[in-house]
Amino acid sequence: MSTSTGSLSVVRPVPARRASSLTATRPSAPVRGSTAEVSHPRRDPLQLAARLSPLLGLGLSIALVWWGLETGVLHSLKNLQAFIDSLGAWGPVAFLIVSVASVVFPIVPGGLLVIAGPVLFGAVEGTIYNYLAVCAGSLLNFLIARHVGLDMIERIFRPRTVEKFLGWTRSPRFTRAFALAIALPIAPDDLLCYIAGTTRMRWRTYVAIILLCKPWALIAYGLGISAVVMRFLPW
């Protein structure tokens, strides 16, 4: 601050009190060991389970293969089909339950079960079981997302992957793109079904897309890959 007296300019120093007030707004460092120190966020159980699900699915698959080799069930296709037949009606029921669960909660890769259907039950019966299970799981995904929203989806799947496919919903042609993705086995159907539930897509439109488009992907993937597997297996 300065004052002028003729041509003389006098600079007045800033008072000590005012100078000290300039630095009074800086926050003081938290005391070490106090509750104000950085607290670690709690882990989300659902998100942790989703991250560990691939390892759990792999471990379960390895355990089943080991059990099948030890008991002789996997020594030949005839032994495997005989074991499935010995379960009676519980064989298809167990397959349907596990297949639906793999669509809603992707612990076991659903593609493996789609391939296993024709191998275990034959081309026609196995494809029908795949169709019923995948359609039921896809309808459940839509209903869950419609009532829960994106919060749970981002806890199950990686946020980057969710954001990537959310970009599809911003397009006016999302319904067509969704139908094409369901018909072709090239996209993560389970995630897309969840995301569709967060949009304004009508329930009847979604059901029609699932029921009419799913068979083509199941036939192309399930029957095609299972035929290749059956050809190259030592069975």
Side-chain angles (χ1 to χ4, degrees):
M1 182 176 181
S2 62
T3 58
S4 298
T5 306
S7 62
L8 181 62
S9 177
V10 179
V11 179
R12 294 183 180 180
V14 179
R17 291 182 180 179
R18 185 176 297 179
S20 62
S21 66
L22 297 177
T23 59
T25 56
R26 292 184 180 180
S28 58
V31 181
R32 189 175 184 83
S34 65
T35 56
E37 201 171 3
V38 178
S39 59
H40 298 283
R42 297 180 62 183
R43 290 185 176 274
D44 186 355
L46 183 59
Q47 192 174 31
L48 182 61
R51 296 292 182 267
L52 294 178
S53 61
L55 295 178
L56 295 176
L58 178 62
L60 179 61
S61 301
I62 294 175
L64 289 176
V65 170
W66 179 83
W67 173 84
L69 293 175
E70 287 292 321
T71 57
V73 172
L74 294 180
H75 286 176
S76 66
L77 180 60
K78 183 178 180 180
N79 291 352
L80 179 59
Q81 292 176 338
F83 172 75
I84 296 297
D85 292 339
S86 67
L87 298 177
W90 289 107
V93 170
F95 178 79
L96 289 172
I97 292 175
V98 174
S99 297
V100 172
S102 69
V103 177
V104 180
F105 303 103
I107 298 177
V108 178
L112 295 179
L113 295 173
V114 172
I115 298 172
V119 174
L120 297 176
F121 304 102
V124 177
E125 189 175 354
T127 302
I128 293 175
Y129 291 153
N130 282 336
Y131 177 72
L132 294 176
V134 173
C135 287
S138 299
L139 298 181
L140 286 175
N141 287 357
F142 185 89
L143 292 176
I144 292 172
R146 180 58 52 96
H147 289 85
V148 177
L150 281 174
D151 181 62
M152 191 197 74
I153 301 174
E154 291 180 341
R155 292 164 64 187
I156 297 178
F157 302 93
R158 295 186 180 276
R160 289 184 179 180
T161 307
V162 175
E163 184 62 29
K164 174 183 176 182
F165 287 99
L166 275 177
W168 290 24
T169 63
R170 303 183 184 101
S171 172
R173 300 180 179 178
F174 170 69
T175 301
R176 296 181 181 179
F178 176 75
L180 182 61
I182 295 299
L184 301 176
I186 57 176
D189 291 358
D190 47 1
L191 174 57
L192 285 177
C193 292
Y194 274 119
I195 289 179
T198 64
T199 67
R200 295 182 179 180
M201 183 182 296
R202 294 182 178 181
W203 168 252
R204 62 184 181 185
T205 302
Y206 178 82
V207 172
I209 291 175
I210 295 299
L211 296 182
L212 297 177
C213 296
K214 276 293 183 184
W216 311 110
L218 294 175
I219 292 173
Y221 184 82
L223 292 180
I225 301 299
S226 63
V228 174
V229 171
M230 292 296 296
R231 181 174 182 178
F232 289 97
L233 278 178
W235 291 343

